Amino acid sequence: MKGTEAAARVIGSLVAVSAALGLLAGCVAAPSGGGAATVAPSATASPGADPASRPAAAAPPASVPEIPRQSASLEEQRRAQPPAPTRIEVPALGIDMVVRPVGLDAQGNMALFDDPAVAAWYQWGPAPASGSGSTVIAAHVDSLEYAVLPFAKLRDARPGTLVVVTDAAGTRHSFGVDSLEVIEKGVVDWDAAFDRSGASRLTLITCGGEFDYVNRTYLSNLVLTATPR
C-alpha cells in the first residue's frame, strides 16, 4: 500500500532539516554552549612594530541564529504523535473490537492480525486526535478457521451510522458514516485512503465482493469513510 510513501515523506522532511542545519554549520562555527560562535585569536604584534603593520582587531563574534531542531529518530516521532486508537465500536452493527498498531507486512501491504477480535491501525498514518488526514483501521472479513468476522458486518452500514474509536488516553472519538464502497482491488485509490492531509476522517477497510476460489482471495475491498460528528 501507499503508506510506505507517506512514511518516506516524513523521513525526507527530517533529512531536509538536518541538511539545512549542516549548511549553516558550514558558514558559521557552531557554538559549544549555544551563544556566539568562537573565533580564533589573531596573531599578537611584536613590541615596537609599526602600528600600520599590526593586524586589525578581530571582528565581534557573529551570533548563530536559533534554528528549530527536530530529531530524526522514528521512535521520538512516534512519541510525539497523538494517542493510538485502542478500540473501535459500531453499536448498530454489534462491532466491538480491540485495535492495535501495525506497519507493513513482507509484501509491502498493511499488516493484519489473524486474531478475529483485533483490528489493525496503520501506525505511520494519522490517529483520531491528529486533527487532519485519514485514520486507517482494517481487519479480515472472514477466514477458514473463524468463519465470518466482525468487519463483515460493515457491509450493512448506512450513511450516518455511528462509529466510535477510543484512544490510549481514554478519549472517545465519534464518527458518522459518509460512504461505503466495494471496489475492485486493482482500482482502489490507496493514496486517498492513506492520505495524511485534508480534513480529519476515519477509513475502515476489509475485503469484499466475489471470492476467487482458485487463488483463495477476495477480488475487491470494502472501503468505508466516516467523518467526525
Side-chain angles (χ1 to χ4, degrees), residues 138-176:
H140 290 296
V141 67
D142 60 17
S143 73
L144 294 175
E145 182 177 356
Y146 296 105
V148 176
L149 304 179
F151 262 34
K153 302 174 183 178
L154 290 177
R155 65 176 181 270
D156 296 324
R158 299 291 180 265
T161 297
L162 174 67
V163 182
V164 180
V165 179
T166 303
D167 65 25
T171 303
R172 290 168 61 84
H173 303 267
S174 296
F175 299 84

Side-chain angles (χ1 to χ4, degrees), residues 20-178:
L21 292 172
L23 289 173
L24 287 169
C27 298
V28 182
S32 57
T38 57
V39 179
S42 56
T44 302
S46 59
D50 185 348
S53 65
R54 295 175 184 172
S63 61
V64 177
E66 288 295 327
I67 304 297
R69 296 173 185 263
Q70 187 174 18
S71 172
S73 165
L74 285 178
E75 186 59 34
E76 290 192 22
Q77 290 302 305
R78 290 179 61 186
R79 284 198 294 268
Q81 288 181 344
T86 57
R87 182 183 182 187
I88 182 168
E89 302 167 79
V90 187
L93 302 180
I95 297 174
D96 187 350
M97 300 177 69
V98 171
V99 179
R100 293 178 182 163
V102 297
L104 301 177
D105 62 19
Q107 288 71 47
N109 300 315
M110 179 179 171
L112 296 178
F113 294 102
D114 292 332
D115 187 337
V118 181
W121 164 61
Y122 186 63
Q123 64 181 328
W124 306 126
S130 293
S132 63
S134 171
T135 298
V136 178
I137 297 177
H140 290 296
V141 67
D142 60 17
S143 73
L144 294 175
E145 182 177 356
Y146 296 105
V148 176
L149 304 179
F151 262 34
K153 302 174 183 178
L154 290 177
R155 65 176 181 270
D156 296 324
R158 299 291 180 265
T161 297
L162 174 67
V163 182
V164 180
V165 179
T166 303
D167 65 25
T171 303
R172 290 168 61 84
H173 303 267
S174 296
F175 299 84
V177 172
D178 275 354

